[in-house]
């Protein structure tokens, strides 16, 4: 047994508030809830490193894939995408991935740990636009190759990358 150096997040007066923090009975992890649990600083740091690799990194990678797809639409607009399909800009839209991921990350990180992880997340956002712009520049020049428009090549090639990331993340 080790001597805990960091008690659980519930201490002193907060223990009396325990009834407000207990998960509902139907919660799948209810049996794991222990307000008296303790851990060492080293154990906590080890867990945070694992979460950074297993949770935060995948969230950033999935966000990268999402932004590639969003960027594809923007880049495809410059290659007659709407005209070729008889569409206008009101005919497509994107979903609510960002709020979902922020909520998901908040399940794993404390309020003091979350901002740096969100900076990684938003860093992936910025990097995606740079990388996808360079890729799109080259891919859109494939217009006419094999009888396909540049935007079709863009969706096929970068969409394959997104599909691969989705499969790995599943």
């Amino acid at each position: 047994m080790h001597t805990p150096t960091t008690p659980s997040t519930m201490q002193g007066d907060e223990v009396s508030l325990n009834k407000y923090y207990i998960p509902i009975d139907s919660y799948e992890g209810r049996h794991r809830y222990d307000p008296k649990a303790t851990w060492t600083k080293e154990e906590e740091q080890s867990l945070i490193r694992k979460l950074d690799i297993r949770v935060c990194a995948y969230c950033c990678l999935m966000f990268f894939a999402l932004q590639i797809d969003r960027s594809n639409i923007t880049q495809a607009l410059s290659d007659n995408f709407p005209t070729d399909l008889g569409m206008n800009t009101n005919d497509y839209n994107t979903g609510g991935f960002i709020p979902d991921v922020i909520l998901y990350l908040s399940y794993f990180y404390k309020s003091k740990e979350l901002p740096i992880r969100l900076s990684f997340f938003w860093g992936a956002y910025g990097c995606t636009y740079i990388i996808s712009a360079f890729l799109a520049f080259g891919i859109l020049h494939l217009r006419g190759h094999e009888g396909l428009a540049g935007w079709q090549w863009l969706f096929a090639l970068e969409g394959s990358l997104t599909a691969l990331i989705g499969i790995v993340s599943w």
Side-chain angles (χ1 to χ4, degrees), residues 92-106:
Y92 60 89
N93 195 3
T94 55
F97 180 81
I98 295 170
D100 290 343
V101 168
I102 293 172
L103 176 64
Y104 179 69
L105 289 174
S106 74

Side-chain angles (χ1 to χ4, degrees), residues 2-7 38-49 110 113:
H2 67 310
T3 304
T5 57
T6 306
T38 59
W39 53 87
T40 66
K41 187 157 184 77
E42 293 79 23
E43 289 171 326
E44 183 174 357
Q45 288 172 341
S46 174
L47 175 64
I48 295 298
R49 280 191 300 273
K110 296 179 193 173
E113 298 166 341

